[in-house]
Amino acid sequence: MVDVLAPDALGPTVCVGEILVEIVATTVGDGFLAAQPLVGPYPSGAPAIFISQCGRIGGQAAMVGAVGRDDFGRVNLDRLMRDGVDVSAIATDPEFPTGSAFVRYRADGARDFVYNIATSAAARFGWSAEVEALVARAGHLHVMGTALSMKSAVAVIDRAVDIIKARGGTLSVDPNLRKELVLDAATERRFEALVSSADLLLPSGEELERAAGVDGEAAAIASLFRRGVGEIVLKRGAAGATCFGRDGSRIEAPAFVVEERDPTGAGDCFGGAYVACRRLGLPPEQALAYASAAGARNVTRVGPMEGAGTRAELDAFIASTERRA
């Protein structure tokens, strides 16, 4: 299977989108209609989780977004810098607070959220001199479908894709959308264009068919390759993951057997590890092993990126953790 992503030496992987703190209820139940004991704040936001794992495993990594001038913003900036992420293009908003998400788990494992994104600093960033300087030296852009609902993120992504591609960089897309989510016509076209331009697609479950616009796994894979996608890694949760190559190759990675404490961020850690490993020159088999380990290790800790691992930590996890047959 050929290398589909630009080498790490070309420049950092850049992710654009929301940066939040997550605060988690320690009780199980429905919603927040009564006072709850809470833990946190934990640094969060799907793009931030992705880029944290990318940096921790050793890839060049940078983030575009915004935080408030408050303790929650500092929690995120400190964590990202500690993980080796370039934060030069993260704006600090003097008026709006850092975005937040309150989470409580239900008995069936589903979650209830109370978000503040749209009216927080998380949504208040755009193209700036700092963003321009970062994009000009970037080697890869990672886009999450949820970012397309943020005007601020869209404005950056639309410009960054062309600039990074023009200098030999590459693009990965995590659809992060569900069939039930209805997009307006302009956003739908943008999503389709990004998928068609993707060198790597990282869908979970039904997101594969959502991205392809056709039903059935085999038909979706074939359709996406015809559109120009270079490589597809399908995240299957407890069923593992599969890498599909344009040459017809297929690589399976069984999931690790772990006790799940908090599933938030597992797919983002998977993606961050996979992209970084492929850009560092690892073959798909090895990148899949690290990605699967990153996702599995993360669910064993409370907090959306608390289990993100360095390469040494993931090596130890792989050596000591059973995989499903």
Side-chain angles (χ1 to χ4, degrees):
M1 195 177 290
V2 299
D3 292 331
V4 297
L5 301 185
D8 192 73
L10 181 63
T13 295
V14 174
C15 202
V16 181
E18 70 276 13
I19 303 173
L20 316 172
V21 290
E22 188 164 303
I23 298 169
V24 185
T26 61
T27 61
V28 174
D30 296 333
F32 289 94
L33 296 177
Q36 300 295 322
L38 306 165
V39 292
Y42 296 110
S44 187
I49 299 166
F50 169 93
I51 209 66
S52 169
Q53 178 60 82
C54 186
R56 280 185 69 81
I57 205 169
Q60 290 194 74
M63 180 76 194
V64 177
V67 296
R69 188 173 293 168
D70 51 33
D71 287 351
F72 289 172
R74 178 51 57 188
V75 163
N76 276 286
L77 291 175
D78 286 350
R79 174 57 188 266
L80 291 172
M81 288 188 289
R82 193 161 64 245
D83 290 347
V85 176
D86 180 342
V87 299
S88 62
I90 296 178
T92 300
D93 193 292
E95 299 178 4
F96 282 68
T98 300
S100 61
F102 287 76
V103 186
R104 190 180 185 205
Y105 286 86
R106 300 178 188 172
D108 64 359
R111 292 167 286 176
D112 289 316
F113 289 93
V114 176
Y115 284 111
N116 179 24
I117 298 177
T119 56
S120 75
R124 292 172 60 84
F125 65 92
W127 195 263
S128 65
E130 293 78 11
V131 173
E132 185 169 13
L134 172 62
V135 170
R137 58 183 176 82
H140 183 83
L141 178 67
H142 180 72
V143 175
M144 294 183 168
T146 51
L148 301 184
S149 66
M150 301 173 62
K151 292 181 180 180
S152 53
V154 166
V156 172
I157 291 167
D158 282 353
R159 295 179 68 171
V161 169
D162 292 339
I163 294 170
I164 293 172
K165 283 276 194 174
R167 66 184 308 266
T170 44
L171 170 69
S172 55
V173 176
D174 183 336
N176 215 8
L177 297 171
R178 299 291 185 268
K179 287 181 178 180
E180 301 82 30
L181 183 60
V182 178
L183 305 179
D184 61 54
T187 304
E188 191 73 57
R189 288 193 297 271
R190 181 176 284 108
F191 175 66
E192 291 175 0
L194 284 167
V195 169
S196 296
S197 298
D199 300 282
L200 169 66
L201 192 67
L202 289 156
S204 296
E206 67 181 20
E207 293 171 0
L208 173 69
E209 296 175 7
R210 175 70 175 81
V214 298
D215 293 331
E217 181 176 301
I221 294 291
S223 174
L224 290 164
F225 282 143
R226 284 195 300 269
R227 286 167 58 181
V229 175
E231 183 172 296
I232 301 168
V233 175
L234 179 59
K235 296 172 283 184
R236 304 182 188 272
T242 309
C243 178
F244 299 91
R246 288 181 62 85
D247 59 1
S249 59
R250 175 176 177 145
I251 302 166
E252 300 288 349
F256 289 92
V257 180
V258 294
E259 182 179 348
E260 180 180 283
R261 296 186 64 197
D262 184 354
T264 302
D268 306 318
C269 283
F270 181 107
Y274 190 83
V275 167
C277 286
R278 291 292 275 139
R279 294 200 64 213
L280 288 166
L282 274 62
E285 296 90 340
Q286 196 172 1
L288 270 179
Y290 277 120
S292 298
R297 186 176 188 272
N298 199 56
V299 307
T300 66
R301 313 287 178 88
V302 176
M305 62 174 83
E306 298 312 298
T310 63
R311 188 160 176 176
E313 288 169 336
L314 295 177
D315 281 333
F317 179 89
I318 290 169
S320 63
T321 309
E322 179 186 355
R323 302 189 79 162
R324 298 183 188 277

